[in-house]
Amino acid sequence: MNVLWLQSGGCGGCSMSLLCADTADFPAMLKSGGIDLLWHPSLSLASGRELVALLEDCRDGRTRLDVLCIEGSLLRGPNGTGRFHVLAGTGVPMIDWVSALAAVATHVVAVGSCAAWGGITATGPNITDACGLQYDGDRPGGLLGADFVARGGLPVINVAGCPTHPGWVVDTLMALAAKLFVADDLDPLNRPRFYADQLVHHGCTRNEYYEFKASAEKPSDLGCMMENMGCKGTQAHADCNTRLWNGEGSCTRGGYACISCTEPGFQDPGHAFHQTPKLAGIPIGLPTDMPKAWFVALASLSKSATPKRVKSNATADHVVVAPAVRKTRLK
Ligand code: SF4
Ligand code: SF4
């Protein structure tokens, strides 16, 4: 399966993340899955005329393009010309290259939230008129249009995340290579369901604090970060706490609130990332699938039953009260 990877308006962080894939031999892993990386900006030697010739071969059908991976948002400015980002050596705007290559690719993959929705590059006034491949924020459309379907029958596959997890990219490519990826494998935002059907909250090491609404009050506290520190793990679609990063970490395990980077518009939350917006003392962003009244009732019940150990540890940077030692055998 021939894969071409191009970078557009992003920071390159998704490529850096890819290089942390859980393997000691990345090229061998791709080879074992039948994946031939035609070109990648950080991994390939070809440049200049060689690259342009490859792109022309793909565009004109001389080289089969099975998967077009785009990292970074698509810059449509100024005034729709795309000339804020011209592919060096071609004089042609990147958006025109991407449109032409997407038209001949069997599958198109948006690598990261920039390529999926516009992401960080589209923050605030969005002066470059950045968008995603098939979304403009949370609105279908983007560069290729809401009705775009690649030759293989799927819309753009949004492997969203900022950065995206290397495992999400590799598993998507492996499934495509094995012809095991079908429309039902995509969620309503066209993200692969193998990770988007999970929540970041699943497997978070702070779950006990969440259960008792024992909350962190400042950075480095051990407690749950939902109530005060801006954590959106109960709403964010991703498996970050069950498929760890670099085999051992996640944002919440590192002491930083989940900012829901797999969702469209995460970059403009309307509040500081590390603060929870509240109305009458109740967090505005409540857990997915939970009515507000239930949450309020559960929170007040939980708080009234919080063990001293959990309460004390929640606002400390290390365990200050250890669990009681009891016999666990049934009598
Ligand atoms: S999604 Fe995030 S990490 Fe990836 S290119 Fe965009 S800004 Fe960088
Ligand atoms: S810190 Fe966030 S992800 Fe972890 S338990 Fe609390 S709400 Fe869930």
Side-chain angles (χ1 to χ4, degrees):
M1 185 178 80
N2 289 341
V3 177
L4 174 66
W5 183 302
L6 297 179
Q7 281 177 336
S8 191
C11 72
C14 286
S15 278
M16 294 304 103
S17 176
L18 182 74
L19 299 181
C20 293
D22 190 15
T23 173
D25 192 342
F26 187 67
M29 181 182 64
L30 294 183
K31 200 171 170 192
S32 71
I35 296 168
D36 184 3
L37 200 52
L38 292 176
W39 193 78
H40 181 287
S42 306
L43 297 171
S44 302
L45 290 176
S47 64
R49 283 192 200 138
E50 292 165 287
L51 171 62
V52 174
L54 171 64
L55 298 185
E56 289 171 346
D57 284 349
C58 290
R59 180 195 63 194
D60 299 339
R62 291 185 291 275
T63 296
R64 198 183 69 247
L65 181 54
D66 296 309
V67 179
L68 173 65
C69 288
I70 300 295
E71 172 186 0
S73 59
L74 294 310
L75 310 186
R76 295 170 294 188
N79 303 318
T81 64
R83 297 202 69 79
F84 277 144
H85 184 196
V86 172
L87 185 64
T90 69
V92 176
M94 185 58 126
I95 57 171
D96 293 343
W97 274 109
V98 170
S99 297
L101 291 165
V104 298
T106 307
H107 300 291
V108 180
V109 175
V111 180
S113 288
C114 287
W117 333 116
I120 289 287
T121 322
T123 303
N126 191 10
I127 54 175
T128 57
D129 199 13
C131 66
L133 282 165
Q134 205 169 8
Y135 276 83
D136 199 342
D138 59 4
R139 293 187 309 279
L143 177 71
L144 301 176
D147 297 330
F148 173 83
V149 176
R151 288 191 166 184
L154 296 175
V156 173
I157 300 170
N158 290 323
V159 189
C162 186
T164 191
H165 193 297
W168 304 341
V169 176
V170 170
D171 283 9
T172 299
L173 293 178
M174 290 287 185
L176 289 173
K179 301 193 190 308
L180 290 174
F181 204 110
V182 297
D184 281 350
D185 294 323
L186 294 171
D187 84 341
L189 290 169
N190 293 339
R191 298 172 296 197
R193 290 179 56 192
F194 65 76
Y195 81 84
D197 277 0
Q198 313 294 319
L199 293 173
V200 170
H201 183 64
H202 299 161
C204 178
T205 50
R206 298 169 192 250
N207 275 178
E208 187 184 32
Y209 297 101
Y210 173 85
E211 288 163 17
F212 288 108
K213 299 293 166 285
S215 300
E217 294 175 357
K218 59 185 183 307
S220 85
D221 283 352
L222 296 179
C224 173
M225 295 181 284
M226 177 193 167
E227 188 177 2
N228 303 315
M229 309 295 291
C231 187
K232 295 183 177 170
T234 55
Q235 305 154 65
H237 291 246
D239 58 2
C240 298
N241 273 311
T242 48
R243 180 200 297 256
L244 297 177
W245 292 68
N246 298 314
E248 60 184 57
S250 70
C251 292
T252 59
R253 288 176 194 223
Y256 199 86
C258 169
I259 60 172
S260 198
C261 73
T262 58
E263 319 290 330
F266 81 94
Q267 73 278 1
D268 284 314
H271 60 85
F273 282 121
H274 62 288
Q275 286 173 2
T276 304
K278 297 177 190 172
L279 203 57
I282 301 168
I284 290 173
L286 294 179
T288 294
D289 310 319
M290 181 174 268
K292 188 174 176 183
W294 290 12
F295 180 82
V296 172
L298 181 71
S300 89
L301 187 63
S302 302
K303 283 195 176 188
S304 66
T306 307
K308 181 173 181 300
R309 169 181 61 84
V310 177
K311 196 170 185 175
S312 304
N313 291 339
T315 53
D317 64 4
H318 62 285
V319 173
V320 290
V321 181
V325 176
R326 284 194 188 147
K327 289 180 181 169
T328 53
R329 291 190 305 261
L330 292 173
K331 292 264 169 85

Coordinates of all heavy atoms in Angstrom, one line a residue, residues 200-202 204-207 210 223-226 231-234 241 252 258, ligand 2:
V200 N -11.3 9.8 27.5 CA -10.0 10.0 28.2 C -10.1 9.6 29.7 O -9.2 9.1 30.3 CB -9.5 11.5 28.1 CG1 -8.3 11.7 29.0 CG2 -9.1 11.7 26.6
H201 N -11.3 9.8 30.3 CA -11.6 9.5 31.7 C -11.4 8.0 32.0 O -11.0 7.6 33.1 CB -13.0 9.9 31.9 CG -13.5 9.7 33.3 ND1 -13.0 10.4 34.4 CD2 -14.5 8.9 33.8 CE1 -13.7 10.1 35.5 NE2 -14.6 9.2 35.2
H202 N -11.6 7.2 30.9 CA -11.5 5.7 31.1 C -10.0 5.4 31.5 O -9.1 5.6 30.6 CB -11.9 4.9 29.9 CG -13.3 5.2 29.5 ND1 -13.8 4.9 28.3 CD2 -14.4 5.6 30.2 CE1 -15.1 5.2 28.2 NE2 -15.5 5.6 29.4
C204 N -8.2 6.7 33.8 CA -7.4 7.8 34.5 C -7.0 7.4 35.9 O -7.9 6.8 36.6 CB -8.2 9.1 34.5 SG -7.3 10.4 35.3
T205 N -5.8 7.6 36.3 CA -5.4 7.2 37.6 C -6.1 8.0 38.7 O -5.9 7.7 39.9 CB -3.9 7.3 37.8 OG1 -3.5 8.6 37.3 CG2 -3.2 6.3 36.9
R206 N -6.8 9.1 38.4 CA -7.5 9.9 39.3 C -8.9 9.6 39.5 O -9.7 10.3 40.1 CB -7.3 11.4 38.9 CG -5.9 11.9 38.9 CD -5.8 13.3 38.2 NE -4.4 13.5 37.9 CZ -3.6 14.5 38.6 NH1 -4.2 15.2 39.5 NH2 -2.4 14.6 38.3
N207 N -9.3 8.4 39.0 CA -10.7 8.0 39.0 C -11.3 8.0 40.4 O -12.5 8.3 40.7 CB -11.0 6.7 38.3 CG -11.1 6.8 36.8 OD1 -11.3 5.8 36.2 ND2 -11.1 8.0 36.3
Y210 N -12.2 11.3 41.4 CA -13.4 11.8 40.7 C -14.7 11.2 41.3 O -15.7 11.9 41.5 CB -13.4 11.3 39.2 CG -14.7 11.5 38.4 CD1 -14.9 12.8 37.8 CD2 -15.6 10.5 38.3 CE1 -16.1 13.0 37.1 CE2 -16.8 10.8 37.7 CZ -17.0 12.0 37.1 OH -18.2 12.2 36.4
G223 N -5.6 15.3 43.2 CA -7.1 15.1 43.0 C -7.5 15.2 41.6 O -6.8 15.5 40.7
C224 N -8.8 14.9 41.4 CA -9.4 15.0 40.1 C -9.4 16.5 39.6 O -9.6 17.4 40.4 CB -10.9 14.5 40.1 SG -11.8 14.8 38.6
M225 N -9.1 16.7 38.3 CA -8.9 18.0 37.8 C -10.2 18.6 37.1 O -10.1 19.6 36.5 CB -7.7 18.0 36.8 CG -6.4 17.7 37.5 SD -5.0 17.7 36.4 CE -5.2 16.2 35.6
M226 N -11.3 17.9 37.2 CA -12.5 18.3 36.5 C -13.1 19.6 37.2 O -13.5 20.5 36.5 CB -13.6 17.2 36.5 CG -14.8 17.7 35.9 SD -16.2 16.6 36.2 CE -17.5 17.6 35.6
C231 N -10.2 20.0 33.5 CA -10.2 18.7 32.8 C -11.5 18.3 32.1 O -12.5 18.4 32.7 CB -9.8 17.6 33.8 SG -9.5 16.0 32.9
K232 N -11.3 18.0 30.8 CA -12.5 17.6 30.0 C -12.5 16.1 29.7 O -13.1 15.6 28.7 CB -12.5 18.4 28.7 CG -12.7 19.9 29.0 CD -12.8 20.7 27.7 CE -13.1 22.1 28.0 NZ -12.9 23.0 26.9
G233 N -11.7 15.3 30.5 CA -11.6 13.9 30.2 C -12.9 13.1 30.2 O -13.0 12.1 29.6
T234 N -13.9 13.6 30.9 CA -15.2 12.9 30.9 C -16.0 13.2 29.7 O -17.1 12.7 29.5 CB -16.0 13.3 32.1 OG1 -16.2 14.7 32.2 CG2 -15.4 12.8 33.4
N241 N -5.8 7.1 28.3 CA -5.4 6.6 29.6 C -5.5 5.0 29.6 O -5.3 4.4 30.6 CB -6.3 7.1 30.7 CG -5.7 8.4 31.2 OD1 -4.5 8.5 31.5 ND2 -6.5 9.5 31.3
T252 N -3.3 13.6 31.8 CA -3.7 13.6 33.2 C -2.7 12.9 34.1 O -2.5 13.3 35.2 CB -5.1 12.9 33.3 OG1 -5.0 11.6 32.9 CG2 -6.2 13.7 32.5
C258 N -6.9 17.3 30.7 CA -7.3 17.0 29.3 C -8.0 18.2 28.7 O -9.0 18.7 29.3 CB -8.2 15.8 29.3 SG -8.9 15.5 27.7
Ligands
SF4_2 S1 -8.6 14.2 36.1 FE1 -10.0 14.3 34.3 S2 -9.8 12.3 33.3 FE2 -9.0 12.1 35.4 S3 -10.6 11.3 36.7 FE3 -10.7 13.6 36.8 S4 -12.2 14.2 35.1 FE4 -11.5 12.1 34.7

